[in-house]
Amino acid sequence: SGNQGIAATMPLLAFAHGDGCKRDRLIKAVALSHLITAYITTHVGYLSPLCGAILKAGVGAACGIVYYMGGDHQKISTVIKLMIGSLGGVLCDGAEPSCALKVAVAGKVAASFAYMALHGVDIGPDNGIVGETAEETVKNLATIGKSMSSVDNTIIDIINNKLSLIYND
């Protein structure tokens, strides 16, 4: 989606702008962000009750920021686990204004968690859906997303009920 593209890219551009913009590093960081976003999408799906702006693109942005700041594979793996372990339950409600707000949250949290990962903050596999690896954590998130099919229907029912109140008044 456009919002996911914004969430995967703009936090990196803002971060690089404030850092003097190391252009070659930024290009690689943006590519990594989109690759991580696509990787999570292959597991969670294109449409999901889970917020893609935060749980796909926000995670991608966090990885890109870690890379831009000189982080290695381990720090990138750590930031994936931090993001998913902390924000794994954020729902997509399909509403544009709240989605835009979630994009803003994704950027802020991505930068914060990138700093945390680079400074040794980690989340262990004994915490909720976090696995031993980033890959296992993504698969756990996907399992949760796939088990939430009734959530989509519930959100649609809520929206339809609100619309019927608006148009019947």
Side-chain angles (χ1 to χ4, degrees), residues 13-81:
L13 296 176
F15 188 85
H17 179 74
D19 188 51
C21 193
K22 301 168 192 145
R23 185 171 166 74
D24 290 343
R25 191 119 185 120
L26 175 60
I27 291 168
K28 292 176 184 176
V30 169
L32 176 64
S33 176
H34 285 289
L35 287 170
I36 296 293
T37 301
Y39 171 76
I40 296 171
T41 300
T42 64
H43 290 283
V44 173
Y46 289 101
L47 294 175
S48 168
L50 299 170
C51 175
I54 291 176
L55 295 169
K56 297 178 196 177
V59 173
C63 293
I65 292 170
V66 167
Y67 174 82
Y68 183 85
M69 294 172 60
D72 59 9
H73 178 270
Q74 179 58 42
K75 298 297 184 187
I76 292 168
S77 179
T78 296
V79 83
I80 291 171
K81 293 187 296 178

